[in-house]
Amino acid sequence: MAFEKRDLTGSLFKNDKMMSDSSPQYTGSITIDGVDYWQSAWVKEGKTGVKFFSQSFKRKDAPSQSQNTAPQKSLVDDDLPF
C-alpha cells in the first residue's frame, strides 16, 4: 500500500543530523489546508518539570533566508521627535 498524503496529517522523525544545540530534535512535514509545511520540534521542560514539544512550521514553498534579499523595513520611524 502506497503512502497517502492527507490534509491535517504529518510525520516527525528523530533528527540524526543536528548541527548545534539549538537544532530541532525532530523534523518532518505536515499538510494543512492543502499547503505543505516543514515541521521542527524540540523537547522542552516546563517549570513544573512536565516535558512538552515546542514546534515551528515553515511553508515548503517559502523562500529561504539567504534568498530573501529584499531590504527590511525599519520598525522605528526616525522622523519622530522623541
Side-chain angles (χ1 to χ4, degrees):
M1 178 180 206
F3 173 74
E4 181 184 343
K5 195 165 141 182
R6 291 183 287 173
D7 203 36
L8 300 177
T9 63
S11 300
L12 279 173
F13 302 91
K14 184 117 173 102
N15 183 3
D16 294 330
K17 300 175 185 173
M18 292 180 60
M19 303 296 275
S20 70
D21 288 340
S22 62
S23 294
Q25 295 164 308
Y26 295 87
T27 58
S29 62
I30 189 168
T31 302
I32 302 172
D33 291 334
V35 179
D36 292 327
Y37 293 86
W38 294 114
Q39 183 178 8
S40 299
W42 297 261
V43 177
K44 296 197 176 185
E45 190 170 318
K47 293 178 182 178
T48 61
V50 175
K51 290 187 178 183
F52 64 94
F53 281 110
S54 173
Q55 299 181 37
S56 70
F57 302 90
K58 181 179 179 183
R59 287 180 68 123
K60 286 187 176 183
D61 61 359
S64 68
Q65 292 288 6
S66 61
Q67 293 174 339
N68 187 5
T69 57
Q72 296 291 329
K73 183 177 179 182
S74 174
L75 298 176
V76 178
D77 187 348
D78 292 333
D79 294 332
L80 294 176
F82 52 90

